[in-house]
Amino acid sequence: MSRIFSGIQPSGELHIGNYLGAVKNWAALQHQFESFFCVVNYHAIIGSYEPADLVRRTHEMAVGLLAAGLDPAVCTIFVQSQVPEHTELAWIFNTLTPLGELERQTQYKDKASRQEQVMAGLLNYPVLQAADILLYRADVVPVGEDQVQHLELSRVVARNWNARFSSGAPYFPEPQPRLTPTRRIVGLDGQAKMSKSIGNTVGLLETPEQIWDKLRPAVTDPARQRKTDAGEPERCNTIYQLHRAFSPAETVAEVEVNCRGAKWGCIDCKKVLHQHMVAELTPIRERAVALQADPALVQDVLQAGAAKARVVASRTIADVKEKMGLPLA
Ligand code: SF4
């Protein structure tokens, strides 16, 4: 069975952008691949943060992942800092990564240009990401479009290490990207990608009432000022896209006809979307409520996941050290 690895930042409660853009896909992929899913808290300490807040966000993310369908009996789910081999391999890869490759990463340039003092961790972030993936010698990495460049760097790192230290067949596979089917979820403002920092999200665990309070004022096709104005679903970045993600095909077809023909108002359209979202999200919220009531269970799942991950991770580190002339402990 091929192996996949993917990580997610501990941003606290998942929103439907994370769910549709990554986690829902992971829940399906866990049955097709040997799967490692990681809450990447070492990545989250680049920049200022409060330690107690990071603990809470890490726990909430784990609850969200489990509630959304990641099954610890099928996949390995764990927290990055509980598997110290991640940072050990990252240091080794730092010694093989050309500085120029890191400096031309688009995300680095974007973020660095907005900071007065740039920390080395921001530059080296993709090296840790390469270590995350290659530690498990993953063949496939489910990614969003904005992560493809980082994955290419992981492939360069694998190639460089193999060229220098593999004897015979390459030790590290060059991981292949697998783009998530739902690529970019636009927020309720109809403009930017759904993001907690912008405040244009719907939380995955929100109640039906809270979801409706978010959907009702959400931006739609600006051409539909009145119910009698014909619209274009393609201009309705948020609601139409969410219909395609949550509603059955016949409902999506109905949305297109009713929008173009001005046969209903946007509130009617949103009410139908709301029904389908609630139908899919209610079981997730109910599972999350049960998990929130039992924090020890969630911690046990993460501990067991870390122990399972370390079996693979320690094997890789032992092989790497042996091939590089580094004595084991
Ligand atoms: Fe968007 Fe639906 Fe309104 Fe058309 S009818 S603009 S798809 S909310």
Side-chain angles (χ1 to χ4, degrees), residues 23-322:
V23 181
K24 186 177 178 179
N25 188 38
W26 296 358
L29 293 174
Q30 69 183 336
H31 300 290
Q32 300 164 35
F33 294 89
E34 186 188 358
S35 304
F36 292 82
F37 299 118
C38 181
V39 182
V40 290
N41 56 349
Y42 274 138
H43 289 282
I45 61 173
I46 299 169
S48 63
Y49 72 99
E50 287 299 322
D53 187 48
L54 180 60
V55 172
R56 177 189 58 76
R57 287 189 278 118
T58 303
H59 183 82
E60 282 180 6
M61 178 54 70
V63 166
L65 294 176
L66 295 168
L70 296 194
D71 180 353
V74 177
C75 67
T76 304
I77 173 170
F78 63 102
V79 175
Q80 188 182 29
S81 64
Q82 291 184 312
V83 182
E85 287 84 356
H86 283 255
T87 43
E88 196 171 1
L89 189 59
W91 173 254
I92 288 170
F93 285 164
N94 266 316
T95 67
L96 290 158
T97 307
L99 189 57
E101 292 277 356
L102 296 174
E103 285 173 333
R104 68 183 180 81
Q105 297 288 311
T106 312
Q107 282 192 22
Y108 168 72
K109 286 195 281 191
D110 280 358
K111 288 184 179 166
S113 68
R114 285 183 263 121
Q115 294 178 9
E116 251 178 47
Q117 191 179 33
V118 179
M119 298 297 165
L122 184 66
L123 181 69
N124 292 334
Y125 178 107
V127 181
L128 179 57
Q129 203 167 49
D132 296 338
I133 297 163
L134 296 173
L135 190 58
Y136 302 96
R137 301 170 76 197
D139 310 287
V140 176
V141 181
V143 285
E145 274 163 346
D146 51 353
Q147 289 296 316
V148 169
Q149 195 183 28
H150 282 178
L151 186 61
E152 182 51 34
L153 187 90
S154 299
R155 292 158 55 80
V156 168
V157 169
R159 215 173 296 147
N160 289 351
W161 193 94
N162 287 336
R164 177 79 177 81
F165 299 108
S166 282
S167 45
Y171 180 74
F172 287 115
E174 290 186 24
Q176 301 299 318
R178 184 174 172 125
L179 284 172
T180 45
T182 310
R183 294 194 183 167
R184 185 176 178 269
I185 302 298
V186 176
L188 298 168
D189 52 6
Q191 302 285 328
K193 182 178 170 180
M194 199 171 271
S195 160
K196 236 182 210 174
S197 58
I198 299 175
N200 60 358
T201 62
V202 177
L204 188 65
L205 309 180
E206 292 197 77
T207 63
E209 295 73 29
Q210 289 170 319
I211 295 173
W212 179 245
D213 286 346
K214 298 266 181 84
L215 288 184
R216 195 169 34 79
V219 172
T220 62
D221 177 358
R224 295 212 71 193
Q225 297 294 323
R226 289 171 297 273
K227 204 168 173 174
T228 48
D229 294 331
E232 283 289 340
E234 290 74 15
R235 280 197 303 250
C236 182
N237 290 332
T238 308
I239 300 299
Y240 179 56
Q241 190 189 35
L242 291 178
H243 263 298
R244 287 197 297 177
F246 286 104
S247 304
E250 55 272 24
T251 303
V252 175
E254 194 188 347
V255 168
E256 287 172 11
V257 170
N258 288 352
C259 181
R260 288 204 173 88
K263 293 176 192 240
W264 66 5
C266 290
I267 288 290
D268 303 316
C269 184
K270 289 173 176 177
K271 281 182 182 164
V272 174
L273 171 63
H274 181 251
Q275 281 170 14
H276 292 296
M277 286 180 68
V278 168
E280 182 163 337
L281 299 181
T282 296
I284 294 174
R285 184 166 44 81
E286 288 173 351
R287 281 197 293 273
V289 167
L291 289 162
Q292 282 158 349
D294 194 351
L297 173 75
V298 176
Q299 291 311 310
D300 286 351
V301 166
L302 295 175
Q303 292 280 358
K308 217 166 128 193
R310 286 199 79 181
V311 172
V312 179
S314 59
R315 180 72 260 159
T316 302
I317 286 292
D319 289 345
V320 164
K321 283 179 151 181
E322 192 203 325

